[in-house]
Amino acid sequence: SSEVLEAIENVILDVFTSLAKKKAPVLTLANRSDWRNIEFKESVGLQMIPCCTTKKIRSDCSKSALKFALMLKILSMIYKMVQSNTYATKRDIYYTDTVLFGSQSVVDNIVDDISCMLKIPRRSLHILSTTKGSLAGNLSYTEEDGTKVNCTCSATVFTVPSNVQGIKNLISHAKFMLIVEKDATFQRLLDDDFCNKLTPCIMITGRGVPDLNTRLLVRKLWDTFQIPIFTLMDADPHGIEIMCIYKYGSVSMSFEAHHLTVPSIKWLGLLPSDLERLNICKDVLIPFTKQDQNKLASIQKRPYVACQPMWKRELEIMAASQMKAEIQVLTSLSSDYLSRVYLPNKLQFGGWI
């Protein structure tokens, strides 16, 4: 707490110092969206380089004056929350003055900029993310407020905790963890009792692009249990992008990579090569859009693809076919093919990369 308060005080002191010198105050931020500021390290993923390019948020420029003011406002709110040991979600912050902030995305972006500027993780700023992820399977733990959560004894879906850092007493006999891209597939596997049928496991879904809490939980479970983690994604550029976020992180959050990435994650499916191997009918495949082509080309240029020759091959297969497929295409073989045949065979015979 004292570290956070001191960091904010230093920012405000710089503002006052500039004003005392009759200079317009400026906030300096790392350029989070610039690939030139990112380096790839196999043991961590995408991380921000120490000497990165920066951008100035000026108080005397019409383009940035509003952002400057909003950053000071949110810094003030963080300061009060840390002092009083209270918490708020980004949504709570937005609703304190919807007219002033304009949109939720403005608040989201400023909160991440502040976290990067202060070099302090978002959860230490007393700002909680709104959770959209779900989990199920062989896992029990105690939440920060003492609530005991037991996912093991039921087919109930539990929401990923809003304060992952605060959970403790984690217990699991799971042999592996399965990250599922979509909620529909997650629910189907739950209906088929997949978590208990084959061998005890933990299932997690971020319902598409994962939120911060889902990524934090995956990392915490990896740190705690050190069990294999597999991903089940659509065989399309969007699914691959989502898997890369879990495994190697994202450019915009590269300053927090050490807390968010799990580079040992394996790609279990749906692999582009599976479509041919399983003789999936061409009629159920979806042709690439221009957006798909651009996304795949972007992924193929990423630094982590160079150190993954088998990934490179799968991406080349997808690029050559110009076709994509959702996990649901497996129902064209049989309604329960995913849980009865596909996943058991993959897990038993090592069909991951």
Side-chain angles (χ1 to χ4, degrees):
S1 297
S2 58
E3 185 188 332
V4 179
L5 296 175
E6 188 180 342
I8 295 172
E9 285 162 5
N10 287 337
V11 171
I12 302 306
L13 185 61
D14 286 343
V15 170
F16 277 122
T17 304
S18 297
L19 290 170
K21 293 177 180 176
K22 295 189 165 43
K23 288 182 182 176
V26 173
L27 297 174
T28 304
L29 309 178
N31 209 331
R32 291 189 294 117
S33 58
D34 192 338
W35 272 93
R36 290 171 300 175
N37 288 334
I38 310 299
E39 66 177 358
F40 171 65
K41 196 174 175 186
E42 278 194 65
S43 61
V44 180
L46 301 175
Q47 59 180 8
M48 189 171 277
I49 59 174
C51 302
C52 59
T53 60
T54 57
K55 57 183 177 181
K56 308 280 187 191
I57 309 297
R58 304 189 62 86
S59 59
D60 62 345
C61 169
S62 58
K63 283 185 181 177
S64 60
L66 177 60
K67 182 166 183 177
F68 181 92
L70 293 180
M71 286 189 74
L72 289 190
K73 180 177 176 63
I74 292 177
L75 278 167
S76 166
M77 294 170 82
I78 292 168
Y79 195 87
K80 286 172 185 168
M81 287 191 295
V82 174
Q83 274 190 321
S84 59
N85 197 28
T86 55
Y87 288 82
T89 65
K90 291 185 294 183
R91 198 140 187 82
D92 294 333
I93 291 173
Y94 169 62
Y95 277 109
T96 60
D97 199 329
T98 56
V99 176
L100 180 64
F101 290 121
S103 73
Q104 181 68 57
S105 61
V106 169
V107 173
D108 297 351
N109 189 48
I110 287 176
V111 167
D112 288 343
D113 276 340
I114 287 173
S115 177
C116 184
M117 178 177 73
L118 299 180
K119 294 183 173 57
I120 291 169
R122 190 198 297 168
R123 56 202 172 279
S124 299
L125 301 177
H126 285 229
I127 296 175
L128 304 173
S129 299
T130 307
T131 295
K132 63 171 182 163
S134 303
L135 74 151
N138 196 290
L139 176 69
S140 63
Y141 57 87
T142 307
E143 292 193 341
E144 192 179 35
D145 63 359
T147 305
K148 289 185 173 155
V149 176
N150 189 351
C151 313
T152 307
C153 302
S154 71
T156 310
V157 176
F158 289 86
T159 303
V160 169
S162 58
N163 188 356
V164 174
Q165 192 187 30
I167 66 174
K168 51 187 182 290
N169 304 328
L170 289 93
I171 299 168
S172 177
H173 302 292
K175 302 299 179 195
F176 66 92
M177 196 154 83
L178 183 67
I179 300 171
V180 183
E181 177 185 349
K182 287 178 177 168
D183 188 47
T185 308
F186 180 87
Q187 295 289 347
R188 180 59 204 258
L189 289 172
L190 209 60
D191 292 343
D192 291 347
D193 196 27
F194 177 75
C195 291
N196 300 308
K197 235 176 213 174
L198 188 66
T199 187
C201 74
I202 299 167
M203 279 203 316
I204 290 184
T205 180
R207 301 183 182 202
V209 177
D211 59 282
L212 191 72
N213 289 329
T214 304
R215 291 174 64 189
L216 283 167
L217 181 64
V218 169
R219 176 59 196 246
K220 190 175 185 87
L221 292 174
W222 162 248
D223 286 338
T224 307
F225 301 118
Q226 299 279 307
I227 53 177
I229 304 178
F230 303 107
T231 58
L232 181 63
M233 306 280 151
D234 287 340
D236 66 13
H238 186 66
I240 293 166
E241 174 87 286
I242 289 169
M243 172 178 58
C244 291
I245 290 172
Y246 282 108
K247 186 175 173 73
Y248 292 129
S250 59
V251 174
S252 62
M253 293 297 289
S254 58
F255 63 95
E256 262 208 78
H258 288 79
H259 309 291
L260 296 172
T261 60
V262 185
S264 61
I265 284 173
K266 306 295 182 191
W267 185 6
L268 187 70
L270 186 62
L271 302 179
S273 59
D274 288 339
L275 304 176
E276 194 173 317
R277 182 176 62 82
L278 297 171
N279 292 318
I280 300 292
C281 177
K282 292 272 198 304
D283 294 347
V284 296
L285 302 182
I286 306 162
F288 260 27
T289 62
K290 186 67 182 166
Q291 190 179 12
D292 291 326
Q293 290 172 347
N294 293 339
K295 174 67 76 180
L296 182 58
S298 161
I299 293 170
Q300 286 178 302
K301 290 176 191 165
R302 306 249 175 105
Y304 43 70
V305 173
C307 70
Q308 293 275 6
M310 292 177 80
W311 276 33
K312 196 175 177 184
R313 181 175 156 271
E314 293 292 337
L315 298 181
E316 285 166 357
I317 291 170
M318 188 183 285
S321 73
Q322 290 290 292
M323 301 291 273
K324 60 184 181 179
E326 297 183 329
I327 297 161
Q328 283 77 4
V329 298
L330 296 176
T331 58
S332 67
L333 301 173
S334 76
S335 61
D336 61 349
Y337 191 85
L338 176 65
S339 60
R340 184 176 56 85
V341 181
Y342 183 83
L343 288 175
N345 282 350
K346 282 258 179 178
L347 292 161
Q348 187 178 348
F349 300 112
W352 58 79
I353 58 175

